[in-house]
Structure formats: C-alpha cells, structure tokens
Amino acid sequence: MSTCPRCQSTEDKIRAEHKGLNAQGELVWTIFHCNACEFTWRDSEPASTIDYNKREAFFRVDPEKPYPVIMPPAQYK
Amino acid sequence: MSTDKKPLSATARAVGERIGSLRDFLEFLEENGQCITWTDEIMPEPDVRNIAVAAGRDSMNGPAVIFNNIAGYPGKKLVLGVHGSFTNLALLLGHPKGTTIKELFYDIISRWGDDKPLLDFIEPEAAPVNENRITDNFNLYDLLPLYRINEYDGGFYIGKANVVSRDPRDPDNFGKQNVGIYRIQVQAPGEFTLLSIPAHDMGRHIMAAEQENVPLKISVMLGNHPAMCMFAATPVGYEESEFAYASQMMGSPLRLTKSGNGMDILADSEMIIEAELMNGVRTLEGPFGEFPGSYSGVRKIPRFKVTAISHRNDPIFENIYIGRGWTEHDTLIGLNTSAPIYAQLKKDFPEVVAVNALYQHGLTGVISVKNRFAGFAKSVAMRALGTPHGTMYLKNLIMVDDDVDPFDLNEVMWALSTRTRADDTIVIPNMPLIPIDPAAEVAGKGHRLIIDATSFMPPDKLGSDSKIVTPPAGSEIDEIAKVIQLLQNGGQS
C-alpha cells in the first residue's frame, strides 16, 4: 500500500498496524493507518473503500484543512 | 410515574433472575429462535455489514447474529443485533413473541425509575470480567474482531460500548458517575478517540478534567447486560445512575464490581478497557454513518490512551449496525427515548396517552392525547418541545387523539388523512436542533413542525356533521388477533 486511500499521503506517513492470520498462521490481511488524516483500512477491503480513484470524492480528506474542533481544549481558550 | 407501576409478572421476574449477562441473554434468545450463528467463513468487510443489514430488515422479529468464523480473526466471536428487534426486547422483559410495541411501551413506563436500585457489589477477584488481565502491549486490533461498519467510515468503530466516567470535580459521587454510549474510533493499537459534546454528561467530565488539569479515567464496558445498553443510551438526569435504572427495569440485581481505575463496572461484562484522557489532544475522527442515516463529518475530537484491559475467557465482541434506518440503533434507543418524554408531559398534562419517539431518536414523534378543547393538542405539543430531549430532537411532531395508537402507523396516517387541515400546522423557525440532522439549514439550528391531527372540538364547527365508524376494538379483539396469528403459524407462536 503505497499511498493513503483517503488523502494520498505517501508511504512515510503510513504505518502497518496489525496482521490478521488464519488458524494455520498464514497472513490473511494487514491493517494500515495514515498518520496524516488518521484513516484506518484493511488491504482486503473492497476497492470502493481503499482505492483513492474509486472512492467517492466527497469523502477525501485534506489533513491541512482546519477541521472543526469538538470541545476546544481548555488551556487553549 | 408511580401511578402506572404494576408488580412484575412471574415470567418477567424469572427472566430477570436468569439474565445476568450478555451470554445469558444470547442463550435465552437462541432458545426462543431469536439468535442465530453465522458459521461460514466471511471477510470482515463487506460481509459483516451485509449480513447485519439483512438481519436487521425485520424490526419486529429480526434475530441477533453471532459470527464465529471471520477471516483473520480465528477463534474470535462477534455479535450484532442483540437489541435489533422488538421481539428481542419483549423476551428480555418476559413477554412472548408477538407483543406489540405499545404493550412494551407501557411495560417500560411501569418499570421506569431509579428510586429502588438493585445492585450487588462483588470483589474484583470474583468478577468473571477479570478472568484475564492485560497491563501492557495493548492491541485492540488483535483482541477485538474490528471491521468498518459503513463503507466511508474513517476507520473501525466500537459502536455499542457503555462508557463509565466519574465527575473529576466530584469523583466519589455515585449518581454523577455516568454510563453512556459514545462512538469510539480505534486510532492505534492502544489508543482511541471518543465523540462526546458539551451537552452530554461525558462531555462535561472531559471539559472539567481539562479545565482542572486532572486525569480523566474511564472504563469502557463491552458486551454488557442487555438492560445496561438500553439505559446507557437513555438520556437520564445528570445526578441519576444508569445502573440504578437498568436494575430496576429488570427487577433483579445487577452485579457490579470495581475496575482497576476505580469505576463501578458490570462484573459480568465481556471486556473492560480502562483508559485515560490525553488532556488537550484532539485527533481527526470520522466520518461515521450516524443514526439519521447520513455520515457526520470529519472533526478533531478528544483522544484516550488504554491503561489496562480485563476480559472474560473467549470474550464476545458486541457491536451494532447503525446507518439509514431502520437499524438496531432505533430499536435499542426508541422506547427509552419515548418513556422520559411521556413522563415529563404526563406531569403537566395527564391527558397524554402515549408518546412514540422511535424515529431517528425522536426527530419525528407522534403523541396521542385526550383533547380537552379545541387547540389543546397544540399546547401539549409546545410543552413536548420544551422537554429536555424535545429541545434538541423533536423536529416533526404529529399530535393524534387518544383513539389513535401512535405506534401503529396505519392509524396515524388515518388521523392525518381525516383530521388534518393544512392550516392546522405550525412551523417554528430557527430553533435549536442536533447538529447532525442532515436537513438542518445550519448545523445546530432548524425549524420545527407541529401537525395537529386531532379531531375538531367545540367551538370549532368543522367536521361536526360526520360521525366516525367504531369498529370493535380493545383487549378482546387484541386476543382474537393473537389467536388468528397462532392459527396462521400452525400453532407455533
């Protein structure tokens, strides 16, 4: 998985979280997480979820965008 | 609501005594044909979602579904739809299959309260939830068969956890200890975000901890007694205990113990994740397919770090399908949303007969009321908008007479067809409204609609020359209907 399916961040931003094995100990899938947009995905998911070009554009995330903050931390008030 | 209280039936008492945990309830549902096990191997996505949606289509009789063969999660168990149908709720309350929603509503009303809690406290060493204890190297992705609930969710969500927190300014107060369901997105093997807002009890705890710069410790209970989930999802008063309400509804004791970080927890839950707020940290979260049937957007929200995990042997991960209704969310929360609105209205207006706030947590409600004089129902509607839940949720309100069952949409539509004048509706603009209503003009603000579908009364002359047909009704007809159903099912209930 070279880029994030949601924000297209490159490999250095992506960490492999967990490998799912079957009862025989063989690899079935891997879970990844993007440190830039905090998207989590499994490499066995349908392309409509994990392929940037097949995902609905509406759901793209730009990590640089100032997303609303729920309950802004008290010390920053 | 003390006037409505009735002693529990022998069956209800026996069911209350038998069910002490999620496991007990699943066994009971299975015996009654309301829990199935999906044994074929499936992929986490999209199979879990597909099966959950299909099983949830029948809001009256859909079963809980246990998954025990999810690829990549050998030996792990997941259950969905435990509260997915009204029949499952009926069984929990000691009623037979075929019990109507209205009957369940009145039964829940009669059990409602927290003045007689039934709570047994047991030592942590004796609690089944402490059979296993993990204190480092946490990996939620390994412990729980996690999956994406809806296809554009931002990650893997825990949607049905009951989260216990204490008021950091009054940590010894049992009543101010809160149990609530908040959506949790796993953000790392040992970290998660949790969405709450200032209006929630949990939100108050988060803000207080950050203002005082003191730790906020929480215990996330997974796989819980089915009554606990119902009250964790119920907006009760800030100083009222959800444990007390849940035990009183069941009429038999709930077993509590202490978590490693000092919360009161259910001794028989499947898993407890102890965690601590990362003060001042906000992390991108969402989208998440929410109960109005649309995704709520990406936000920066509070983040927690896992500090310990306890779990039973072979824990069962209980989760929920939520999205465009009808879903388990609506059945889980519907009657417990309706009951407090009814109680609050009944204090001022004893003429109120029943409240149906089942739809999208009460975004649409139907209230039946004995009309005292022309226009009376509108006054009751205004009062309903001023109840704590009504203030943010009751967007569309349909008022019907006491001869209309607000839980029977055929009857409600009849009232709309025959008793509504187009100018007998009220729109109140620019009212407060939950931010995730997709129809809001501005998030957090919207218009309210009251439709008066009650009959005309003096001095209103309209309709005075028509007379309603009165078909036979009442308990006798209800019984006959049940006999017919029985005959139709070949003697099987």
Side-chain angles (χ1 to χ4, degrees):
Chain A
M1 195 62 59
S2 54
T3 60
C4 170
R6 184 162 81 162
C7 75
Q8 280 194 310
S9 283
T10 47
E11 210 158 353
D12 56 313
K13 292 277 199 313
I14 293 165
R15 49 176 216 258
E17 295 280 66
H18 179 66
K19 292 183 187 307
L21 311 176
N22 63 16
Q24 289 72 46
E26 296 154 344
L27 180 68
V28 186
W29 41 251
T30 305
I31 293 173
F32 295 92
H33 184 87
C34 171
N35 289 332
C37 79
E38 312 290 356
F39 186 61
T40 307
W41 73 97
R42 192 188 326 263
D43 60 6
S44 60
E45 290 191 69
S48 57
T49 301
I50 61 168
D51 182 334
Y52 182 84
N53 293 312
K54 292 191 174 146
R55 286 173 59 85
E56 266 191 54
F58 178 86
F59 291 100
R60 286 176 189 161
V61 165
D62 174 3
E64 301 303 318
K65 200 177 138 188
Y67 286 95
V69 179
I70 299 291
M71 296 190 289
Q75 56 263 49
Y76 304 142
K77 271 185 180 169
Chain B
M1 272 187 259
S2 55
T3 50
D4 295 311
K5 286 202 191 311
K6 287 184 297 211
L8 294 186
S9 68
T11 317
R13 275 203 312 278
V15 171
E17 279 162 22
R18 175 178 170 180
I19 295 167
S21 66
L22 171 67
R23 290 180 187 210
D24 295 341
F25 190 48
L26 293 179
E27 196 181 84
F28 184 59
L29 288 176
E30 205 166 357
E31 284 169 18
N32 287 277
Q34 285 298 120
C35 178
I36 60 165
T37 301
W38 196 279
T39 54
D40 289 351
E41 189 182 56
I42 55 166
M43 288 306 287
E45 299 88 7
D47 296 342
V48 172
R49 177 189 315 145
N50 292 349
I51 296 163
V53 167
R57 276 188 181 169
D58 181 356
S59 64
M60 279 312 295
N61 295 306
V65 184
I66 295 173
F67 300 87
N68 64 4
N69 194 1
I70 306 173
Y73 291 122
K76 296 282 192 292
K77 273 189 189 172
L78 163 72
V79 64
L80 299 175
V82 175
H83 298 80
S85 65
F86 287 104
T87 290
N88 286 12
L89 301 191
L91 291 169
L92 175 66
L93 299 177
H95 296 287
K97 282 184 177 180
T99 304
T100 65
I101 301 173
K102 195 178 180 183
E103 286 171 312
L104 288 175
F105 170 77
Y106 284 120
D107 188 26
I108 284 177
I109 292 289
S110 80
R111 297 168 184 234
W112 199 265
D114 64 342
D115 55 318
K116 295 187 188 74
L118 298 159
L119 303 172
D120 286 347
F121 289 86
I122 68 167
E123 290 302 320
E125 302 76 49
V129 73
N130 286 327
E131 284 167 351
N132 304 275
R133 178 101 178 144
I134 304 168
T135 53
D136 56 11
N137 296 320
F138 309 112
N139 187 355
L140 296 173
Y141 296 110
D142 183 43
L143 280 166
L144 300 169
L146 293 167
Y147 60 96
R148 192 181 312 279
I149 297 179
N150 278 300
E151 65 176 329
Y152 287 111
D153 287 351
F156 303 155
Y157 275 85
I158 299 171
K160 207 181 178 184
N162 297 183
V163 183
V164 190
S165 60
R166 281 177 176 265
D167 186 336
R169 290 186 172 121
D170 192 3
D172 297 327
N173 188 316
F174 181 77
K176 287 186 190 172
Q177 174 175 256
N178 180 62
V179 188
I181 298 184
Y182 306 98
R183 71 191 214 202
I184 289 172
Q185 183 182 347
V186 176
Q187 296 277 3
E191 292 180 17
F192 57 83
T193 46
L194 179 152
L195 181 69
S196 189
I197 55 173
H200 293 156
D201 293 351
M202 177 85 190
R204 289 170 71 163
H205 294 173
I206 291 171
M207 289 192 299
E210 292 193 334
Q211 277 160 11
E212 306 289 336
N213 201 21
V214 291
L216 177 67
K217 295 174 180 177
I218 64 171
S219 286
V220 178
M221 303 193 291
L222 291 176
N224 304 307
H225 189 294
M228 190 72 247
C229 286
M230 291 175 71
F231 280 93
T234 302
V236 301
Y238 185 66
E239 299 199 15
E240 294 176 338
S241 165
E242 291 83 359
F243 290 121
Y245 272 101
S247 66
Q248 203 159 317
M249 186 181 83
M250 293 308 293
S252 68
L254 275 181
R255 299 207 311 167
L256 300 185
T257 190
K258 277 272 185 274
S259 68
N261 63 358
M263 304 298 125
D264 291 299
I265 54 164
L266 293 175
D268 299 284
S269 288
E270 295 295 320
M271 184 180 286
I272 305 291
I273 303 170
E274 296 170 18
E276 196 171 311
L277 176 69
M278 298 165 74
N279 274 16
V281 176
R282 297 293 183 270
T283 295
L284 282 175
E285 186 260 8
F288 181 64
E290 269 287 359
F291 69 85
S294 46
Y295 287 93
S296 69
V298 176
R299 304 273 185 274
K300 288 188 167 177
I301 76 164
R303 186 177 179 111
F304 289 78
K305 196 183 234 342
V306 177
T307 54
I309 296 172
S310 295
H311 67 85
R312 295 179 69 145
N313 296 331
D314 302 319
I316 305 166
F317 174 41
E318 183 189 12
N319 212 3
I320 191 168
Y321 178 74
I322 180 169
R324 181 168 163 175
W326 195 270
T327 75
E328 181 182 0
H329 171 274
D330 301 307
T331 326
L332 170 67
I333 207 168
L335 288 169
N336 279 28
T337 303
S338 308
I341 299 171
Y342 171 84
Q344 287 143 13
L345 281 179
K346 195 85 177 162
K347 274 188 206 158
D348 297 332
F349 295 113
E351 297 84 0
V352 171
V353 178
V355 174
N356 170 359
L358 299 180
Y359 307 103
Q360 286 63 57
H361 206 2
L363 281 178
T364 293
V366 188
I367 297 177
S368 71
V369 61
K370 203 171 287 191
N371 229 352
R372 277 170 56 201
F373 41 78
F376 177 71
K378 293 188 193 66
S379 301
V380 175
M382 296 289 190
R383 175 73 188 89
L385 298 188
T387 58
H389 192 73
T391 303
M392 295 303 281
Y393 286 84
L394 285 177
K395 182 174 72 165
N396 309 313
L397 203 45
I398 302 167
M399 305 301 292
V400 296
D401 285 297
D402 59 325
D403 65 346
V404 173
D405 174 357
F407 294 102
D408 184 334
L409 292 189
N410 286 341
E411 292 195 23
V412 173
M413 293 309 285
W414 172 77
L416 279 175
S417 302
T418 61
R419 291 175 172 173
T420 310
R421 292 179 284 188
D423 62 354
D424 228 2
T425 57
I426 303 171
V427 174
I428 311 173
N430 297 316
M431 297 279 283
L433 200 64
I434 50 152
I436 56 173
D437 173 19
E441 305 245 339
V442 184
K445 221 173 144 189
H447 309 328
R448 302 301 180 97
L449 171 66
I450 296 169
I451 301 176
D452 187 350
T454 60
S455 47
F456 320 119
M457 295 195 75
D460 196 338
K461 288 195 175 63
L462 203 71
S464 60
D465 58 348
S466 66
K467 205 72 186 153
I468 294 171
V469 177
T470 49
S475 57
E476 192 188 339
I477 306 302
D478 293 344
E479 285 311 310
I480 295 173
K482 282 179 186 167
V483 171
I484 290 169
Q485 198 178 25
L486 205 63
L487 290 170
Q488 196 181 359
N489 294 336
Q492 302 290 311
S493 62

